[in-house]
Amino acid sequence: MRKFLIAGNWKMNGGEQFTFDLLSVIKNQKPAISEDIDVLVCPSFVSLSIAIDQLHKSDVLVGAQNIHEAEKGAYTGEISASMLVEAGCSYVLLGHSERRAYYHEDDALVHKKLQTALRNELAPVVCVGELLDERKENRHFEVVKAQTLATFEGLTYEQAVQVVVAYEPVWAIGTGETASPEQAQEMHAFIRSILAEQFGDAANAIRIIYGGSMKPANAQELLSQPDVDGGLIGGASLDAKSFVSIIEIAESLTNSVREIDSPTTLEED
Ligand code: PGA
């Protein structure tokens, strides 16, 4: 079974004090997390160490929001994958639409970063998703297909199953507008079909999570879709009550609706 991943993308919000306070409330409201789901928070670089210290004995994982594609060197202001691993991070967000739009990250650069993350055993969460105009012009499948193929190009099966895809329709990010559960499922199944062409049945082991105004009010419907394996949550992850409530919704769904091939079954093929 693919484990749900519930991930908070804090973006450029919250310094150390905010991080400490928010995580204290989350830990207090949710002292234990089911083994059937993964929970991740991605604070800013300067708040990572406080988050890692605070979550040391908890089940909540910590990730970063970006890396540089090089292992090290003269790149003033940048952060490497190995620095993050040494700090205690286990995941990194890559190719978020805000980075693609404001920092000109294209598919080729995102792919280089992905390879660097994998080399350093940092699990990449790679964001893909179409702009509003692209959906209006009915080009959303084409756009997401190109991003997905570029992400997974040349990866082995062992590498591919480390990658999490986050489908984030750009028109739904921070807008309060969410993809309908049907739109999300349609795109997630489409992404999985592209992965199946490259990796066969192994595509069933790759997690595809949804992002774009996920909140407690819509999480149940979105997470009930068979190909939606979790959420990448921006705004609602900055509020302990909302984030905890999405975690609880995911926990409540793990036993009921998720009857999915496990990687163990796949390896036997
Ligand atoms: P949002 O952000 O939940 O605030 O829409 C999601 C994201 O950008 O990852």
Side-chain angles (χ1 to χ4, degrees):
M1 188 174 94
R2 295 186 298 269
K3 258 188 177 189
F4 274 129
L5 172 63
I6 301 298
N9 174 12
W10 293 10
K11 310 192 180 186
M12 197 175 72
N13 295 294
E16 291 192 348
Q17 189 62 53
F18 174 92
T19 301
F20 183 83
D21 293 344
L22 178 56
L23 293 178
S24 302
V25 184
I26 291 175
K27 273 173 43 179
N28 199 13
Q29 289 185 7
K30 191 77 188 118
I33 289 169
S34 152
E35 281 181 5
D36 297 331
I37 73 167
D38 287 331
V39 175
L40 170 71
V41 291
C42 301
S44 67
F45 286 127
V46 292
S47 299
L48 285 174
S49 67
I50 193 156
I52 288 158
D53 277 356
Q54 214 178 342
L55 296 172
H56 180 52
K57 289 211 169 95
S58 85
D59 302 318
V60 180
L61 302 162
V62 180
Q65 298 173 19
N66 187 29
I67 50 169
H68 191 273
E69 64 276 19
E71 293 291 341
K72 63 176 184 169
Y75 300 101
T76 301
E78 293 292 325
I79 309 272
S80 73
S82 63
M83 291 173 191
L84 296 172
V85 171
E86 189 182 337
C89 290
S90 42
Y91 281 81
V92 64
L93 308 181
L94 295 178
H96 190 280
S97 63
E98 287 149 17
R99 297 215 56 89
R100 292 179 190 259
Y102 308 143
Y103 306 101
H104 315 295
E105 292 198 6
D106 59 11
D107 285 341
L109 179 60
V110 174
H111 186 68
K112 276 191 199 153
K113 292 188 177 200
L114 168 91
Q115 288 175 315
T116 306
L118 289 172
R119 262 198 315 275
N120 285 277
E121 295 182 15
L122 200 52
V125 178
V126 181
C127 306
V128 300
E130 78 284 359
L131 305 170
L132 182 58
D133 281 352
E134 292 166 339
R135 183 163 275 266
K136 282 189 183 153
E137 291 160 11
N138 211 20
R139 293 178 46 225
H140 43 298
F141 291 117
E142 180 193 322
V143 168
V144 171
K145 180 174 183 177
Q147 292 172 333
T148 306
L149 289 176
T151 300
F152 284 89
E153 193 191 335
L155 298 196
T156 62
Y157 157 80
E158 287 77 15
Q159 291 174 317
V161 294
Q162 311 297 320
V163 179
V164 177
V165 179
Y167 170 57
E168 299 208 306
V170 180
W171 46 271
I173 295 177
T175 57
E177 200 171 323
T178 322
S180 68
E182 295 73 25
Q183 284 172 322
Q185 170 56 26
E186 184 183 37
M187 187 59 88
H188 284 229
F190 175 70
I191 294 170
R192 201 175 305 288
S193 74
I194 297 167
L195 298 176
E197 280 175 28
Q198 191 175 343
F199 300 107
D201 286 348
N204 287 328
I206 298 173
R207 290 188 287 189
I208 307 172
I209 65 176
Y210 170 82
S213 300
M214 187 183 272
K215 45 185 183 271
N218 57 31
Q220 170 100 18
E221 272 196 318
L222 286 162
L223 295 173
S224 300
Q225 304 304 310
D227 285 291
V228 176
D229 306 318
L232 182 56
I233 301 137
S237 73
L238 297 170
D239 176 70
K241 197 161 167 249
S242 300
F243 193 57
V244 166
S245 131
I246 296 172
I247 295 169
E248 283 171 346
I249 290 168
E251 285 178 334
S252 74
L253 288 170
T254 46
N255 299 327
S256 55
V257 293
R258 294 177 61 74
E259 297 275 325
I260 296 164
D261 286 351
S262 70
T264 324
T265 320
L266 293 168
E267 275 158 19
E268 286 163 7
D269 288 347

